[in-house]
Amino acid sequence: MSQATPSAATAPFDLSSCDQEPIRIPGSIQPHGFLLCLSEQLVVLQASENLAALAGMAAAHALGQPLAAVAGADAAALLAPGQALPERPTYLGSAALPNGAFFDVLGHAIDGLLLLEFEPTERHAAADFRQVFPLVGELMQQLPGATTIEAMSALAARQIRALTGFGRVMVYQFDRDGHGHVIAESLADGYHAYLGQHFPAGDIPRQARELYRVNRIRLISNAHYTPAPLLPQNNPVTGAPLDLTFAALRSVSPIHLQYMRNMDTLASMSVSVMVKGALWGLIACHHAQPRPLEFDKRGACEQLGQILSMCIESREDADDLQFRLELRRIMVSMLAGLTQGPDFIDNLRQVFPELLRFARAGGVAIVVDARVIVHGDTPDEGQIRALVDWLGVHSHSELFHTAHLSALYPPAAAFLCNGCGLLAMPISRIHQHYLLWFRPELVQTLDWAGNPHAKQAAPGQPQSLSPRTSFASWRETIHGTSAPWHAGEIELALEFRGALLGIALERAEQMAELAEELGRANKELEAFSYSVSHDLRAPLRHIVGFSNLLMEASEDSTAETRQRFLANIKDSARLAGKLVDDLLSFSHMGRAALRPITVNMDDMVKGAIARLGADYAGRDVRWQVGSLPTIVADPAFLQLAMFNLLSNAVKFTSQKDPAIITIDASTTDTDTVFRIADNGAGFNMAYVHKLFGVFQRLHRMEDFQGTGIGLANVRRIVERHGGRTWAESVAGGGATFYFSIPKVLNF
């Protein structure tokens, strides 16, 4: 919409172009004051054409004149040549013009110019801001007692009306669609009340809202004014229209002036309410007659608006924090329940009541493969399956939410009563599995200040652009929407989804580990079965064979022969018994709980060497034991592992003279590593992978006796502690065994 004289307001114009109106560069000002644009040397380069009426000098004559020649010495004394001004208007002082009139002078810098605004005042002295401080202080004292945003706004409206004398002061809040809702109001007698009513978003076009965001206060003292054009029309420095964004005298749209007159309002002031950098709402002041308002009172109103903004932000933050804390408490409770059993979906079923409270929903559904599990009031199973199929095609985000599902998914019109709003969460990155929350329809009744649809033109048809003419209460009932989803619900739902996927992934990893462990156990079981049948059969065969020989022996057989048969039977029985004992020990290693304490490894090794004394009696065995550290481990299990390793070293050095066995330790950032080395028979490294298996022997039974379970026990004990075992050797050149124990145990 282009800037023009008021008569242009009735010209036919496409309503959609209202958002393009250049309201920051109207090329004119409100005529109750005048404007001068100066160079840095305080020479007048541009002036409003009402200069003659207010200052006694024609605008054309003022161009090129110094400030003192146009506005007098008092005005010139307020600003020194070369003085910098801020980008926002600041009060420079009050000045008497040569014609005897007194003016408040505001100044700011814009596009290479110093822009001075002169507003008439009845004071013959500078503004005394002390008179408005008590009103600000009174509001500050009363606000802590207001517990709601509506109560805070009512206090601010009452205080601003007392300060300004306007007949109506409203505080209204913008909703998500830009509509304004009057939440507080202060009225003088005879003024129509709008409390609780809504104003359509179209009453304040997009670019006007942006202007309210950057310039927090705007005054129109007389809606019947005729704009005073600028001379020259454009900025003489840039050649572009003069930017009046921050000018207090900026002329407004003639359409807005007609809007005011239709509302029986001839003077208005708007103060922006800003929360977190966004335009939250407005404090709108109306008066039935023209009403000027001096700068000091406007400044006080702007401060009151800022105080209200800070209080609203603080209250909203506190309410939002409380809301999120409650949601998080519910979420923690749900997550605790989801880890109780092995079946993830059954666990979700157990927390259905918490799921409803978490999303303030009427119903919840879980869709996993062929299963649809519901709780509360939900659409039927067929409708849910069709919805999930649609989501799989049309939703590709981590979370889908809407308060008006039927607008996006028309079949939802069939289940408005329980599925008007939807929050849909995929709970698998691979499969089409969903957690769905449903909200029922929330029928809303809105009271509008006038019919918001009365100005709508037929599609494709232009409409004569004019403001609304009626503000009579008009009631509208809105169907097809649910309660909106709170930002905190969306954010915590995303967090909940991440936790769900983490639990599901952890379960999958546990299942994979279980499968791997089961596979290893099966292999061990196969080896176990074979070895038991082979190794246990040998001593039993000996027992049976020598028993038969003993029974068949003739009476003339010597006692020495019978004694030899009995000795063989006894040795075979002892071997079978040891084999069974070792098998039981190996089984025990996998089942018994560890009881870690601080263990002195020096004492443990000395004790093991002492116990082995009988096994190497008569041999030259030289022990080389280094300084061993203190660690945290299960002493009974670790003693068994260490004894098995030292016993092996003694056994496999039986053919060496002397036998040399070395025990020492080293540390890394995370582990303590023990080393047991000997100069015995060693083994072929090609078979090292079999070394720690159950019933695995790398030497003949005739050369070195044993059950083949000792090293398997060592590996199981060390792995139960979170460590690992390994070995190095050269056949005939000795062997070195290692095992590590973590410094911090995790089990």
Side-chain angles (χ1 to χ4, degrees), residues 626-629 663-667 672-675:
S627 177
L628 302 179
I663 305 106
D664 56 27
S666 60
T667 61
T672 302
V673 180
F674 293 91
R675 184 178 73 100

Side-chain angles (χ1 to χ4, degrees), residues 115-135:
L115 194 153
L116 300 189
E117 299 178 84
F118 292 75
E119 297 185 33
T121 176
E122 295 181 357
R123 287 180 280 98
H124 288 188
D128 186 359
F129 293 95
R130 290 175 298 177
Q131 62 179 329
V132 300
F133 290 160
L135 292 171

Side-chain angles (χ1 to χ4, degrees), residues 685-704:
M685 284 294 288
Y687 304 104
V688 69
H689 60 284
K690 294 184 176 183
L691 192 61
F692 293 96
V694 182
F695 297 118
Q696 297 294 330
R697 296 190 187 89
L698 303 187
H699 301 85
R700 293 190 309 159
M701 186 74 167
E702 293 81 359
D703 295 332
F704 300 100

Side-chain angles (χ1 to χ4, degrees), residues 492-533:
L492 284 171
L494 284 169
E495 188 175 331
F496 181 55
R497 177 178 183 267
L500 282 182
L501 293 178
I503 292 173
L505 180 61
E506 182 179 358
R507 290 294 169 86
E509 290 175 346
Q510 289 174 351
M511 294 300 293
E513 289 176 1
L514 186 61
E516 183 180 353
E517 181 66 25
L518 186 59
R520 187 166 62 230
N522 283 335
K523 289 182 179 179
E524 288 184 354
L525 184 60
E526 290 176 6
F528 175 85
S529 300
Y530 172 79
S531 299
V532 166
S533 63

Side-chain angles (χ1 to χ4, degrees), residues 61-114:
H61 182 66
L63 299 181
Q65 299 287 333
L67 176 61
V70 176
D74 282 0
L78 299 176
L79 194 63
Q83 178 179 337
L85 290 179
E87 293 183 354
R88 302 294 179 100
T90 185
Y91 176 71
L92 299 179
S94 298
L97 268 61
N99 63 1
F102 279 81
F103 288 82
D104 284 335
V105 184
L106 310 179
H108 71 282
I110 186 75
D111 294 338
L113 294 175
L114 302 179

Side-chain angles (χ1 to χ4, degrees), residues 299-314:
C301 290
E302 190 171 5
Q303 287 186 16
L304 291 174
Q306 291 173 353
I307 292 170
L308 177 62
S309 297
M310 289 187 291
C311 290
I312 288 173
E313 182 170 333
S314 177

